[in-house]
Amino acid sequence: MTDLDQPIINPGKGIFKLRVAERIIFVPVGICLRILALRLGAKKTRKQAYPSRIYRLKGKKEINLAGPAMGAPVAGMVLEQLIAGGAGKIIFIG
C-alpha cells in the first residue's frame, strides 16, 4: 500500500463528525424549518451540521429535517456535511 492509496481527508472526521439518516428533507429558511418540524412532530437532535440544525422524524424509516442555510455557499457546505454523515436521498424544499 502506498501513500496514494490513503485518503487526504476522511469524511465525518474531526469537529464535523456527524451521523444522519439516509433520507433528508432540507429546508433552507429557518422559520419554514421550525414550522415544518412543529407540524410533523419532529424532535431536535443534539447533532448539528454547522451552522444548521437537524430534527428527527420517526416512522417506518428514519428521516431527518435539516436547515436553515441561506445562500448557495452555506447550503453547499451543509449538504456536504450531511452527505459525509450518511445522507443519500435529499429533498430540497424552498
Side-chain angles (χ1 to χ4, degrees):
M1 184 178 287
T2 66
D3 288 341
L4 297 176
D5 296 331
Q6 299 299 317
I8 296 172
I9 299 171
N10 291 312
K13 304 286 185 204
I15 63 172
F16 296 123
K17 188 174 183 180
L18 182 69
R19 293 300 310 154
V20 295
E22 181 187 11
R23 293 166 173 82
I24 302 285
I25 299 173
F26 187 73
V27 185
V29 181
I31 189 70
C32 295
L33 174 68
R34 287 190 294 276
I35 290 170
L36 186 60
L38 183 65
R39 296 242 174 150
L40 296 175
K43 302 292 182 201
K44 191 173 183 181
T45 65
R46 295 182 77 175
K47 54 190 170 189
Q48 296 200 1
Y50 180 80
S52 294
R53 294 182 296 277
I54 298 175
Y55 295 85
R56 182 176 46 179
L57 293 170
K58 281 300 221 177
K60 289 183 180 180
K61 301 212 180 222
E62 186 177 349
I63 299 173
N64 289 139
L65 297 175
M70 292 299 290
V74 176
M77 179 180 72
V78 172
L79 287 171
E80 284 181 1
Q81 291 177 51
L82 293 171
I83 292 167
K89 298 174 182 174
I90 300 170
I91 295 174
F92 184 89
I93 297 176

